[in-house]
């Protein structure tokens, strides 16, 4: 397993941009597919984006397609989530997660999770 620490959350206005970072421990980071999920109060955890170990494949949830971009820097053991054109409905706690086997959009496939970072978008 890897340990994950997210950063970059905050309070922004609608239409603004924000970049989240997730730093991972360990020497095998490139072997893990990485994902971002989010959870708003009273709602289930929602898939946001995922990226394969070498960064060649990505996948996005329908609600963020065209606005969010996931990327990774394996030399820095870090995965990023660039969020543009933010909307109030993007307000949530954002979690970084690592999957050892496959790139997935299902939370249960991810074995390691960060503590989360709050993103709040005001209207």
């Amino acid at each position: 397993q890897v340990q994950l620490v997210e950063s970059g959350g905050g309070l922004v206005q609608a239409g603004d941009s924000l970049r989240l970072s997730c730093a991972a421990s360990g020497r095998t980071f490139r072997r893990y597919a990485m994902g971002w999920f989010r959870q708003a109060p009273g709602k289930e955890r929602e898939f946001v984006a995922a990226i394969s170990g070498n960064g060649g494949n990505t996948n996005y949830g329908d609600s963020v397609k065209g606005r969010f971009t996931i990327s990774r820097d394996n030399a820095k053991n870090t995965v990023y989530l660039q969020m543009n054109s933010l909307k109030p409905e993007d307000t949530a706690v954002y979690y970084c997660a690592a999957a050892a086997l496959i790139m997935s959009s299902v939370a249960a496939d991810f074995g390691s999770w960060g503590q989360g970072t709050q993103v709040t978008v005001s209207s």
Side-chain angles (χ1 to χ4, degrees), residues 20 23-24 32 62 74 79 96 106 114 118:
L20 304 183
Y32 290 86
D62 289 341
N74 286 345
V79 62
C96 172
V106 178
Q118 176 72 46

Side-chain angles (χ1 to χ4, degrees), residues 39-114:
Q39 189 165 19
K43 295 188 177 181
E44 293 186 353
R45 192 163 294 191
E46 177 189 12
F47 170 72
V48 175
I51 188 167
S52 59
N54 64 6
N57 292 307
T58 57
N59 187 26
Y60 296 92
D62 289 341
S63 61
V64 306
K65 281 181 181 177
R67 299 189 298 123
F68 291 11
T69 302
I70 189 171
S71 62
R72 66 190 295 161
D73 185 339
N74 286 345
K76 296 182 178 180
N77 279 17
T78 302
V79 62
Y80 305 97
L81 185 68
Q82 178 66 42
M83 304 185 294
N84 297 331
S85 302
L86 282 162
K87 305 175 181 180
E89 50 263 45
D90 293 319
T91 294
V93 177
Y94 283 71
Y95 296 91
C96 172
L101 298 177
I102 60 173
M103 190 177 81
S104 172
S105 60
V106 178
D109 291 332
F110 291 80
S112 299
W113 292 81

